[in-house]
Amino acid sequence: MEQQTGTALTDQAPADPAATEDALATQPVGYWCGLAHSAVTRHVRDAMARTDVTQPQYWVLNRVHGGSAAPTREEVVAQLTPLADGPQDISRAVDQLLHRGWLGADGQRLGLTDEGEAARARLRELVTGLRAEVHRGISDEEYVAALKVLRTMVANIEGPRTV
């Protein structure tokens, strides 16, 4: 059996956290992606928890900060819910940030308060440091190559993304 590129198909081995470099090509990508996702998410969320912020709250602060027009609650929820653990996470984060005074509402539109912008900037510094920690020993070129591979795998299964 051959892959579409004409190269021989590599057998799939059971997931093995101790696999040698020579055996990595046989490892299941789902296992390693899942392991990386869990480890990175836990690391980021633990660091944010120490500052009394959740990852969905950070996403909301960034979404409200970015863009040419202030978004509505519905727009924020629709855009960020696919990233969240559950369907109520983003709506809950908006409510928490409104209660905390980091978001304000001008009619239907959400905006950052001065406190919210200061918190977003502090969190951006935290996340930048966490990213450096996670990416230690990995060049930007290696990182881009890994993401290209993952993006191609997704396209092989689901088709190209238009996002």
Side-chain angles (χ1 to χ4, degrees):
M1 184 183 274
E2 290 190 5
Q3 295 176 342
Q4 290 178 341
T5 61
T7 60
L9 197 56
T10 302
D11 285 339
Q12 174 89 25
D16 180 4
T20 64
E21 269 194 46
D22 293 345
L24 285 179
T26 68
Q27 289 293 288
V29 68
Y31 169 79
W32 288 99
C33 286
L35 193 63
H37 173 76
S38 294
V40 170
T41 300
R42 184 175 48 255
H43 186 66
V44 168
R45 289 180 177 181
D46 287 350
M48 287 184 173
R50 289 189 287 275
T51 67
D52 195 28
V53 177
T54 67
Q55 191 177 37
Q57 289 171 347
Y58 177 61
W59 295 336
V60 170
L61 291 171
N62 277 328
R63 173 58 186 94
V64 171
H65 171 75
S68 56
T72 65
R73 176 192 191 96
E74 291 74 25
E75 289 168 339
V76 170
V77 169
Q79 185 179 28
L80 296 177
T81 293
L83 303 174
D85 291 337
Q88 300 304 317
D89 282 359
I90 302 304
S91 183
R92 193 175 294 128
V94 170
D95 288 337
Q96 291 162 339
L97 293 169
L98 285 165
H99 177 74
R100 188 175 266 186
W102 289 3
L103 285 183
D106 182 13
Q108 295 294 315
R109 302 280 170 189
L110 297 173
L112 293 180
T113 63
D114 290 343
E115 295 85 4
E117 175 55 28
R120 189 198 64 77
R122 282 191 311 273
L123 288 164
R124 187 75 165 195
E125 286 182 35
L126 172 68
V127 170
T128 298
L130 294 170
R131 182 186 190 283
E133 192 177 337
V134 170
H135 288 234
R136 186 175 40 245
I138 302 167
S139 69
D140 284 349
E141 293 78 18
E142 290 169 315
Y143 181 69
V144 168
L147 293 186
K148 283 180 173 180
V149 167
L150 293 173
R151 187 166 55 188
T152 299
M153 288 179 170
V154 170
N156 288 343
I157 297 165
E158 296 181 354
R161 299 263 175 177
T162 58
V163 178

